Amino acid sequence: MSPSADSLDFRLDSPDVKNDPYPLLHRLREEDPVHYVEHMDCWLITRYKDIYELYTDPRLTADRRKGYNYQQPPEGSFFRWVDDHGLMALDKKTHSLQRRLIGSGLTPSGVRNIEGKVRDVVDHFAKPLHGRTGVVDIMKEYTTPIPIVVVGHITGVTAPGVDDTQFSELAQAVIRGFFGLVSQEVLLRSEKNYEQLSKWVKDTIAARREKPENDLISYLIDANEGGFSLDDEGIVAQVSSMLAAGTETTSSGGVTCLSTLLDHPDQLERVRADRSLIPQTVNEVLRYAFGGVGGTQRFPLEDFEYKGRKFKKGQLVMLSGGGASHDPEVYENPEAFDIDRNPQGILTFGLGPHYCLGANLARCELANIVDAAMDFLPPGAKVLHDQIEVEELGMFDRQTNCPVDFGGGA
Ligand code: HEM
């Protein structure tokens, strides 16, 4: 059901809401900013300042095992490991030690050191697109493989120059299971692929024990932070979680950057002519096009009242990404895409203790994806929106292609 004029009765999975969440988000922000969504038994928070506040509220946790509707994955499964030992499940101290351990190469200076590697991967996938005509799927050929190969190289599971195709396919199949609220069938398929991925990573660990390289796996084998270290199972799961967290997000970020620019050709041409505009353009895409109606999930550790509404212990609280990034109190005329805006304080990478560990790497990848694309996207290229396909993964849809007419075709 879509929102009617006089009631705020809607379903988050209705096509109207998925296709254009912003009219609903504006109504919610004005009329009921802390809204109870009955069909999901959850709270939807839509004002920037409330989302900002709740991200750092110690009465809420990111640990989904604390949700009263939590369904425990089967014993021994990868998803059970992630729920019990992943970054969202750790106590404060272990969490910060583990972040330091796995995030050591993702600091601003760490990312500057690997920018050359990132650029090589981007150029590898950009090269075959130069001079192309007709319809090109820029998602399949360009933005999807890049983040998978980058994370593969950083972690060490694939090496530059080695064919990454098989690894990319495997990683993508595992990643499906990480989508919020996916069906059991998707989870099972993902779990099966994880078994293969896990063997791959274990073989890499064995090889690195023999001969260390300059990659995360070699580092993690001996690394110790304040007495905390990872065993082989931990390395496998952590590397796989990194793949999950750092690939789908950046792949859809890349395609979103390009399709948003293609839909705003005047601004695309300004970026093409002046590449120093790229960082602020990426920043604006992260604000303008990255937030759906839903968002980050949190769970109250106790019953408490927030803005006059009663949160129950374990009840899902969703911090709406689109709610925050299109809040007119913070971003004037939020529905306009404007590369001169250079928005500050965007919450697209979260906030607080779980702030995205890969944000620096993601920005670096997106900037290079846009830069290289400016050299192969012909003037006048158009996204064929009516040919875009989506895969339904439970609550949320996932775009699976991005056909672009490069012109000059038969
Ligand atoms: C455009 C791309 C990306 C977006 C929009 C994004 C978004 C986010 C958000 C919103 C969170 C916070 C989740 C929460 O608080 O519950 C997060 C956490 C995280 N992200 Fe990203 N991410 C991106 C790319 C990456 C990359 C490239 C990596 C690593 C290679 C990565 C690794 C992580 C990790 C490990 C966490 C968990 C941090 C923790 O719990 O302490 N992300 N990301």
Side-chain angles (χ1 to χ4, degrees), residues 19-309:
N19 290 341
D20 184 9
Y22 298 110
L24 170 65
L25 288 171
H26 283 310
R27 268 197 73 188
L28 285 169
R29 235 185 267 109
E30 275 175 21
E31 296 171 31
D32 194 19
V34 180
H35 179 77
Y36 179 65
V37 184
E38 198 163 343
H39 78 101
M40 285 183 68
D41 181 20
C42 78
W43 295 98
L44 182 63
I45 319 295
T46 47
R47 280 190 185 159
Y48 180 100
K49 63 175 194 289
D50 294 342
I51 293 171
Y52 191 98
E53 198 170 82
L54 289 174
Y55 255 123
T56 49
D57 191 319
R59 294 170 298 180
L60 292 170
T61 177
D63 182 350
R64 57 195 198 142
R65 295 171 306 168
K66 300 283 192 269
Y68 60 49
N69 287 325
Y70 174 64
Q71 288 181 351
Q72 199 172 39
E75 176 112 38
S77 68
F78 169 52
F79 291 103
R80 179 73 170 268
W81 189 97
V82 172
D83 284 359
D84 290 344
H85 305 279
L87 284 170
M88 303 297 174
L90 303 173
D91 64 73
K92 215 170 143 194
K93 187 168 167 231
T94 321
H95 174 250
S96 79
L97 291 174
Q98 181 135 328
R99 264 181 80 98
R100 262 188 270 157
L101 205 63
I102 61 172
S104 55
L106 300 173
T107 57
S109 67
V111 170
R112 271 195 299 279
N113 286 339
I114 52 170
E115 181 152 17
K117 275 192 191 178
V118 172
R119 188 59 198 221
D120 287 347
V121 175
V122 170
D123 286 343
H124 171 81
F125 290 100
K127 206 167 153 206
L129 302 181
H130 285 261
R132 286 275 290 274
T133 55
V135 177
V136 177
D137 184 348
I138 56 164
M139 187 162 185
K140 184 160 173 266
E141 294 198 39
Y142 187 56
T143 64
T144 294
I146 291 170
I148 296 178
V149 173
V150 166
V151 180
H153 292 187
I154 291 174
T155 53
V157 284
T158 58
V162 172
D163 179 15
D164 298 287
T165 322
Q166 197 196 347
F167 173 72
S168 295
E169 281 167 9
L170 203 52
Q172 276 187 66
V174 174
I175 290 155
R176 299 281 186 284
F178 276 88
F179 275 76
L181 312 168
V182 294
S183 64
Q184 279 302 316
E185 191 199 332
V186 175
L187 267 185
L188 280 175
R189 232 180 303 135
S190 172
E191 188 70 45
K192 255 183 125 42
N193 284 290
Y194 175 70
E195 284 165 26
Q196 281 184 58
L197 184 71
S198 147
K199 184 176 173 323
W200 188 313
V201 181
K202 275 186 189 146
D203 291 348
T204 313
I205 296 173
R208 294 299 189 275
R209 277 199 202 290
E210 291 288 311
K211 190 173 169 292
E213 301 274 349
N214 183 18
D215 56 43
L216 184 70
I217 289 183
S218 305
Y219 169 75
L220 289 178
I221 288 172
D222 292 321
N224 189 304
E225 269 293 343
F228 180 82
S229 59
L230 289 168
D231 60 14
D232 285 10
E233 289 299 325
I235 296 179
V236 172
Q238 219 42 264
V239 165
S240 310
S241 307
M242 192 107 141
L243 271 167
T247 52
E248 190 67 35
T249 44
T250 319
S251 157
S252 66
V255 85
T256 306
C257 283
L258 299 185
S259 57
T260 305
L261 280 170
L262 286 162
D263 289 344
H264 297 85
D266 295 352
Q267 301 194 61
L268 184 150
E269 291 311 329
R270 282 187 56 207
V271 175
R272 199 197 304 269
D274 178 1
R275 307 297 170 93
S276 71
L277 294 172
I278 290 176
Q280 71 192 58
T281 299
V282 167
N283 216 19
E284 171 65 347
V285 177
L286 286 165
R287 180 204 70 82
Y288 170 81
F290 233 82
V293 68
T296 311
Q297 301 184 6
R298 291 292 184 263
F299 305 93
L301 290 165
E302 59 195 68
D303 289 357
F304 72 92
E305 202 171 301
Y306 185 74
K307 304 273 152 107
R309 314 308 295 268

Side-chain angles (χ1 to χ4, degrees), residues 346-406:
I346 55 168
L347 300 178
T348 312
F349 291 111
L351 184 79
H354 294 284
Y355 179 76
C356 178
L357 206 51
N360 300 310
L361 176 63
R363 284 184 189 279
C364 163
E365 289 182 73
L366 295 179
N368 279 286
I369 284 173
V370 171
D371 188 28
M374 293 300 108
D375 294 327
F376 67 70
L377 284 175
K382 279 193 171 46
V383 178
L384 301 175
H385 285 283
D386 57 341
Q387 291 176 29
I388 287 180
E389 289 163 9
V390 291
E391 178 183 12
E392 292 217 14
L393 290 170
M395 194 68 186
F396 303 104
D397 290 350
R398 172 186 174 272
Q399 185 178 336
T400 55
N401 69 342
C402 186
V404 175
D405 187 353
F406 275 36

